[in-house]
Amino acid sequence: MADKLLKLYKKDLSLLHIMFKKMKWQGFKRSIIFLVSCIILIILIKYNFKSEWSNISFISLIMCFLVSLRDLTLERDRIIESDNNGKNYYQVRIEGLRKFLRNESIDTDPKKIELLIKLVEKQAEEQKVSFFVGRGILLTVLLPIISATYTNILNKYTDDLTTVLIIFSILLIVILCIFIYATLFRFIYDDFINGDYQRYKTIANDLRELHFKLI
């Protein structure tokens, strides 16, 4: 049954399925347009008005972040209200778990749920080593690459901050595209960010929540 729950949490009760797949990414056009506009404005100020641009660029990037955060918050609220019938991610997940237990005819039996919790925790312990080793390998590979790229850019373009800004803006857009790709195809999200170990721990915590309400 633990395997069934894992498959359920991977597919129907994942953050990807409950929230990300329902996002309308065209709603973020405003954020992208704002970012591009800020970059153009910074370049124009620097080269046409010979003005100090560092403070303006910093404020502009902060504004870009705030606009993106606002768009993300509005989209999250839209999904909760329109697509999830007013339920947030946690509430939808608990509702799905309760439905699963009801189908298995153990939703009203505290002892069986307690046994299931122990089984899930045992499965989590078996996944614990691979969970941390996998993330250690990922960090070992990514950190030197990121560090080397950052150092190389700064050393090469230290005197041209506009170029640095453009490069890092491009990197930011690339990272955003990778994130969107990952949420659509589930590879990075499922295998690296939220592995089986973490899923089992989440399942155990949700089962405890339901078990607590029964006793």
Side-chain angles (χ1 to χ4, degrees):
M1 188 174 292
D3 291 337
K4 286 184 179 180
L5 277 171
L6 180 63
K7 291 178 181 178
L8 179 69
Y9 271 65
K10 275 186 174 182
K11 186 178 179 182
D12 297 332
L13 301 184
S14 66
L15 183 63
L16 173 69
H17 182 79
I18 295 174
M19 299 296 291
F20 285 151
K21 274 192 172 182
K22 299 172 184 176
M23 294 184 77
K24 296 180 179 179
W25 295 103
Q26 60 266 30
F28 292 89
K29 287 181 180 178
R30 178 175 56 182
S31 300
I32 297 173
I33 292 173
F34 192 78
L35 175 62
V36 173
S37 300
C38 285
I39 294 173
I40 294 173
L41 177 63
I42 291 168
I43 295 173
L44 288 175
I45 290 175
K46 177 175 174 58
Y47 288 104
N48 293 334
F49 298 98
K50 307 296 182 182
S51 175
E52 177 62 37
W53 69 282
S54 58
N55 292 333
I56 297 176
S57 64
F58 177 76
I59 294 172
S60 298
L61 291 177
I62 291 295
M63 290 178 65
C64 285
F65 172 77
L66 293 176
V67 170
S68 300
L69 184 62
R70 182 174 182 274
D71 287 343
L72 185 61
T73 302
L74 290 174
E75 182 61 14
R76 180 204 63 190
D77 293 341
R78 184 198 65 78
I79 292 171
I80 290 174
E81 294 300 325
S82 301
D83 298 333
N84 294 345
N85 298 318
K87 298 182 179 69
N88 60 30
Y89 167 57
Y90 172 75
Q91 291 170 327
V92 173
R93 198 177 70 212
I94 290 294
E95 186 179 81
L97 176 60
R98 187 179 286 112
K99 181 179 179 181
F100 172 85
L101 297 177
R102 185 164 54 248
N103 291 338
E104 298 291 332
S105 301
I106 61 172
D107 59 312
T108 58
D109 192 331
K111 291 184 179 180
K112 288 184 178 180
I113 293 178
E114 187 175 357
L115 289 174
L116 183 56
I117 292 172
K118 292 179 180 179
L119 178 61
V120 169
E121 288 180 334
K122 181 180 178 181
Q123 293 290 335
E125 288 302 313
E126 292 178 359
Q127 297 290 332
K128 189 173 184 178
V129 174
S130 59
F131 173 81
F132 288 109
V133 170
R135 280 143 189 79
I137 293 173
L138 182 64
L139 289 175
T140 302
V141 172
L142 289 181
L143 286 179
I145 295 175
I146 295 172
S147 178
T149 303
Y150 178 77
T151 303
N152 184 54
I153 290 174
L154 287 184
N155 289 338
K156 192 172 182 179
Y157 300 105
T158 300
D159 297 330
D160 190 352
L161 293 180
T162 301
T163 303
V164 174
L165 175 66
I166 293 173
I167 290 173
F168 278 104
S169 297
I170 293 173
L171 288 175
L172 182 63
I173 293 172
V174 170
I175 291 172
L176 179 62
C177 291
I178 292 174
F179 174 76
I180 295 173
Y181 179 89
T183 58
L184 291 175
F185 292 92
R186 306 179 59 172
F187 175 73
I188 295 177
Y189 179 80
D190 285 344
D191 290 343
F192 292 99
I193 298 177
N194 195 26
D196 289 350
Y197 167 76
Q198 187 60 41
R199 287 194 192 90
Y200 276 126
K201 298 298 289 185
T202 300
I203 293 169
N205 290 334
D206 290 350
L207 285 170
R208 286 194 193 93
E209 178 73 20
L210 295 180
H211 180 262
F212 177 76
K213 292 179 180 179
L214 288 175
I215 59 176

